[in-house]
Amino acid sequence: MHELSIARNILELVDATCHEQGYSGVETVRVNVGKASGIMTDALVFAFNCAKDETLSVNATLEIHEIPVGGRCRECNSDFISQETIVLNCPRCGGAAFEITTGHELEIFELEVDG
Amino acid sequence: MKVKMVKKILEANDRIAAGNRALLANHKVEAVNLMSAPGAGKTTLLEKTIRALDGRVRIGVIEGDIQGTHDAEVISGLDVPVVQINTGGACHLDANMISDMLQEMPLDELDLLVIENVGNLVCPAEFDVGESAKIMLLSITEGDDKPLKYPLMFQKSEVLILNKIDLAPYLDVDMEKIRSDAKKLNPDLKIFDLSARNGQGMEDWCRWLEDKVKSR
Ligand SMILES: [Zn+2]
């Protein structure tokens, strides 16, 4: 259950940002989670809700934006997006010489805050 | 009101990991993060490795366990510095736990620090602890479907050790499938076949480790 550690990290970062910028509470925390990051999104929401007491996010909802796995193939020179969690071959040409460019994200990108 | 921010969620962990890495580099200590599922044979491998490198590489061990001290007791019987972390339920070690333990370690007297992670194929791969290489141990008794089920650990590791190969004749496991799936996930992955129990293949692995320490 590393989702609990991840949730605690999110709550700490949000609290730190709110203290820095003078916000008193949070309504929504929006995060990007790549499909290849190894995070179970349901477990992350569950962990967030368990851990949010006594933080500025106590009334907040965690909103997860899942980012698909994407890559750039050096054999057919195309960019691709996959619905899979792992990509072993370029979906266009079947080649193996590609780089994964998206799908490992794990970041907070937006908060809805009270003034 | 909307507030835009871009914060890597593991930023705090990664910052502490960078500090650990710098501290280890200052003391010229190479650190490897040994990861596997429970029962893959990490402690036996470590025990045999320490014996094999006795007199050649000065090794210290950080032993991570959810609870209990059994593995640490096995290792401390070998007369190397060992500290134990009980994560109290957490399924992985993080950089902060390692940072605390580095204070307890006689770093100036070490060439190599082995961090034996908690037995789990998912979470340990997620957390940088400041190691210079991640080593994954897979027992062939676990089956040949593991690379595609747990891709992240294969992708992040520099070395894959296939352990318990002495059992291959008794198992219905396709070792070539493990190797080729693992290589597809990580073309640079270095693979060692060995049996920590009977010593087969241990030499190649130990030589790799010794070379890694020497080239630091
Ligand atoms: Zn292609």
Side-chain angles (χ1 to χ4, degrees):
Chain A
M1 253 297 273
H2 61 317
E3 283 78 4
L4 185 57
S5 313
I6 305 280
R8 289 202 178 115
N9 275 282
I10 294 173
L11 291 161
E12 276 170 32
L13 285 168
V14 169
D15 271 16
T17 302
C18 288
H19 286 309
E20 239 169 58
Q21 304 187 14
Y23 308 122
S24 56
V26 184
E27 286 165 25
T28 312
V29 179
R30 297 197 174 94
V31 297
N32 285 326
V33 174
K35 281 191 84 165
S37 66
I39 302 292
M40 288 175 63
T41 53
D42 290 351
L44 183 57
V45 170
F46 180 77
F48 181 88
N49 289 330
C50 291
K52 69 185 180 183
D53 290 353
E54 294 173 31
T55 73
L56 292 176
S57 304
V58 60
N59 296 313
T61 308
L62 180 68
E63 221 178 82
I64 295 179
H65 294 232
E66 269 199 285
I67 312 280
V69 179
R72 169 166 304 139
C73 178
R74 292 194 295 268
E75 285 179 34
C76 67
N77 283 319
S78 66
D79 293 321
F80 60 80
I81 289 191
S82 168
Q83 292 315 308
E84 307 296 321
T85 52
I86 44 171
V87 174
L88 297 175
N89 299 97
C90 167
R92 296 257 163 77
C93 72
F98 59 84
E99 285 142 35
I100 294 296
T101 50
T102 66
H104 286 106
E105 295 78 3
L106 195 53
E107 67 201 12
I108 306 172
F109 71 92
E110 195 173 78
L111 304 177
E112 294 269 358
V113 297
D114 312 323
Chain B
M1 178 172 76
K2 280 186 187 176
V3 178
K4 295 279 176 202
M5 61 188 275
V6 179
K7 283 264 188 218
K8 276 180 67 189
I9 291 167
L10 292 178
E11 188 185 83
N13 182 75
D14 293 350
R15 198 167 44 234
I16 298 167
N20 293 348
R21 192 167 281 121
L23 178 69
L24 289 161
N26 279 340
H27 292 270
K28 297 195 167 53
V29 177
E30 191 73 9
V32 297
N33 182 356
L34 186 60
M35 310 180 295
S36 81
K42 279 195 305 292
T43 308
T44 307
L45 175 77
L46 185 52
E47 187 188 346
K48 300 291 177 77
T49 302
I50 291 169
R51 287 185 196 282
L53 292 175
D54 186 32
R56 286 147 70 187
V57 178
R58 298 170 300 167
I59 300 178
V61 177
I62 294 180
E63 187 69 54
D65 263 314
I66 291 179
Q67 56 182 11
T69 56
H70 173 265
D71 293 353
E73 282 162 19
V74 170
I75 299 305
S76 63
L78 298 173
D79 204 25
V80 294
V82 53
V83 294
Q84 158 100 28
I85 300 175
N86 277 134
T87 61
C91 50
H92 58 270
L93 297 176
D94 65 26
N96 200 32
M97 300 175 196
I98 299 300
S99 167
D100 293 344
M101 289 302 128
L102 290 180
Q103 313 303 321
E104 316 275 319
M105 271 282 155
L107 294 178
D108 285 326
E109 293 157 30
L110 297 182
D111 305 308
L112 174 69
L113 177 67
V114 180
I115 299 164
E116 184 178 337
N117 217 312
V118 177
N120 177 340
L121 283 184
V122 183
C123 316
E126 201 76 41
F127 292 82
D128 183 1
V129 296
E131 72 277 24
S132 45
K134 289 182 164 68
I135 314 281
M136 175 176 184
L137 179 65
L138 183 74
S139 160
I140 62 167
T141 59
E142 294 171 60
D144 47 35
D145 57 347
K146 289 296 172 291
L148 300 187
K149 269 194 175 157
Y150 302 99
L152 193 68
M153 190 167 285
F154 290 85
Q155 286 165 328
K156 292 207 166 176
S157 294
E158 185 171 330
V159 168
L160 170 65
I161 294 174
L162 294 178
N163 190 23
K164 307 192 187 178
I165 55 164
D166 52 315
L167 299 177
Y170 313 106
L171 300 171
D172 190 17
V173 63
D174 183 348
M175 287 182 56
E176 201 37 54
K177 178 174 161 52
I178 300 179
R179 290 192 200 98
S180 69
D181 285 348
K183 283 278 196 185
K184 276 185 214 160
L185 290 166
N186 180 356
D188 299 327
L189 189 66
K190 176 116 187 87
I191 302 178
F192 294 103
D193 295 354
L194 60 80
S195 163
R197 196 177 65 86
N198 73 11
Q200 190 186 348
M202 282 292 293
E203 227 168 274
D204 286 347
W205 148 248
C206 288
R207 191 173 312 117
W208 179 87
L209 199 53
E210 192 176 9
D211 287 348
K212 177 126 190 120
V213 167
K214 280 186 183 149
S215 67
R216 74 193 184 273

